[in-house]
Amino acid sequence: MTRWPNHAEAWRAWRDALAGERMHHGWLLAGKAGLGKRDFALAAARELVAEPGVPQPAGDHPDIIILTYGPKDEKAEKAQADGKPFELARSIRIKQIRAMQKRLVTRPTLGSRRAIIIDPADDMEKSAANALLKSLEEPPAGTFFLLVTHRPARLLPTIRSRCRTLRFPVLSDDQLARMLEEEGVVPDIQAIAAAEGSFGAALRFAELDLAPIARVIAGLLASGDSGMTGRGELARLIGPRAERERMQAVLELAQSLTARAARTTEDPERRLRLIDTHAALVQLAAEAPTANFDPGMLPFEIGTLLVAAAPASEPAHG
């Protein structure tokens, strides 16, 4: 398992609570994506359910229930049952919460405690969140919830109010570089800077070799692209038919670099353009997986949005 130097304070708070007389039943593990919150949840859950003298399994644990993205539809469910690749849903659904709640009427298998991990909790359907709230309001004895969240504000206020929050800080550039080296990945300055403290993002950028793309994006934001040369180079680097994972990583990279430029510019008008560009990139990232975009033209759309934020930029669609 990855070693996370940003988990020390979270472990201190968790273990203090575990050693206390009354452990809180609901926990929010909050912080941006890529900070190891799922790893923490799994390790913390094992500490929670373990009891002296009771052998614990090394693999899946019967008293740790993990809810995350499930199969997209019935076709995907059949493929999963057959051991074939299947497409994931984009949210955690109410039927998953209902199935978990049915298990809560039974006693834990090995000891007196059970842990429920929901990752990411901020991607629950509204009906799923409302159903979970009932369990949080009246949790069965010995049941504890660990909700992994990248965007706590998206959770129902009533869910947040019933949980104790553990916050996970971002990693320094030096920490990211060391962690990449431990994973056998050569650290790249561009990838590390664009990751903004997220090891998950830094690793993905490095593994997908996005550093050259980061340099082109930074150039489009800084200098524009009057002759379409930069946008053409961006399209070439991304590839004519990039896989979904690569395209989403490029969009994430563009958002990150745009947000950083907005924080550092001293020009109020440019800051507003950068904020508008960031919002447009977020919308594009949400639409790209399902909209009927021409794969060859999507890089040019990204580039045009970036150019719109450059100093003395050309019109976004001009």
Side-chain angles (χ1 to χ4, degrees):
M1 184 176 288
T2 303
R3 291 185 298 172
W4 296 95
N6 58 326
H7 286 190
E9 181 57 28
W11 275 121
R12 184 201 62 75
W14 174 262
R15 285 167 176 158
D16 283 352
L18 198 57
E21 294 183 1
R22 190 170 182 178
M23 179 78 166
H24 202 288
H25 69 276
W27 295 77
L28 288 184
L29 312 186
K32 70 187 300 183
L35 298 179
K37 300 187 297 297
R38 182 184 178 91
D39 280 1
F40 180 93
L42 290 168
R46 283 192 168 273
E47 288 195 1
L48 176 76
V49 301
E51 293 189 4
V54 179
Q56 302 293 307
D60 293 341
H61 198 292
D63 294 327
I64 299 175
I65 301 171
I66 303 171
L67 301 185
T68 187
Y69 303 115
K72 178 182 178 181
D73 49 29
E74 290 184 0
K75 181 179 178 182
E77 288 176 357
K78 185 177 184 305
Q80 181 189 37
D82 294 339
K84 299 177 181 178
F86 59 92
E87 189 173 354
L88 293 175
R90 300 179 66 189
S91 62
I92 295 172
R93 297 173 173 175
I94 188 170
K95 67 178 182 180
Q96 294 173 268
I97 300 296
R98 296 294 190 206
M100 174 270 292
Q101 289 171 328
K102 288 181 180 179
R103 293 182 61 178
L104 299 188
V105 301
T106 63
R107 292 176 58 83
T109 302
L110 298 181
S112 61
R113 290 175 168 178
R114 173 188 284 130
I116 314 296
I117 298 172
I118 302 180
D119 175 27
D122 37 60
D123 274 352
M124 283 188 292
E125 294 177 338
K126 185 176 180 180
S127 56
N130 285 325
L132 175 66
L133 181 60
K134 295 179 181 179
S135 293
L136 285 172
E137 288 174 337
E138 299 179 7
T143 297
F144 300 84
F145 295 87
L146 293 90
L147 310 185
V148 176
T149 174
H150 312 317
R151 295 155 294 185
R154 292 185 58 178
L155 289 169
L156 293 175
T158 42
I159 287 180
R160 297 200 304 268
S161 69
R162 284 165 174 77
C163 296
R164 178 176 171 181
T165 299
L166 293 179
R167 300 196 182 278
F168 292 75
V170 297
L171 294 145
S172 70
D173 288 356
D174 287 343
Q175 288 172 331
L176 288 176
R178 286 194 295 271
M179 292 175 73
L180 287 171
E181 288 176 342
E182 290 172 0
E183 291 291 324
V185 177
V186 177
D188 181 273
I189 295 175
Q190 290 283 352
I192 288 173
E196 297 192 303
S198 165
F199 176 64
L203 185 60
R204 187 162 59 255
F205 295 159
E207 289 179 337
L208 293 173
D209 191 25
L210 298 191
I213 293 177
R215 287 190 283 271
V216 174
I217 289 174
L220 292 172
L221 287 170
S223 306
D225 186 30
S226 59
M228 293 287 290
T229 304
R231 277 166 280 192
E233 178 65 2
L234 181 65
R236 185 189 71 79
L237 290 170
I238 292 174
R241 294 198 172 275
E243 294 182 354
R244 175 177 171 178
E245 180 188 4
R246 181 171 177 80
M247 188 58 73
Q248 287 295 313
V250 169
L251 283 161
E252 182 181 336
L253 177 65
Q255 293 171 42
S256 176
L257 292 174
T258 302
R260 187 172 65 176
R263 289 195 299 271
T264 56
T265 185
E266 296 181 358
D267 182 346
E269 292 185 4
R270 183 167 185 242
R271 183 177 296 112
L272 289 175
R273 291 200 303 275
L274 287 161
I275 291 171
D276 288 343
T277 290
H278 185 273
L281 288 167
V282 170
Q283 181 176 351
L284 185 61
E287 294 173 350
T290 55
N292 189 27
F293 286 109
D294 181 336
M297 293 305 297
L298 189 53
F300 286 95
E301 178 67 19
I302 295 170
T304 299
L305 291 173
L306 296 168
V307 168
S313 66
E314 60 195 78
H317 299 283

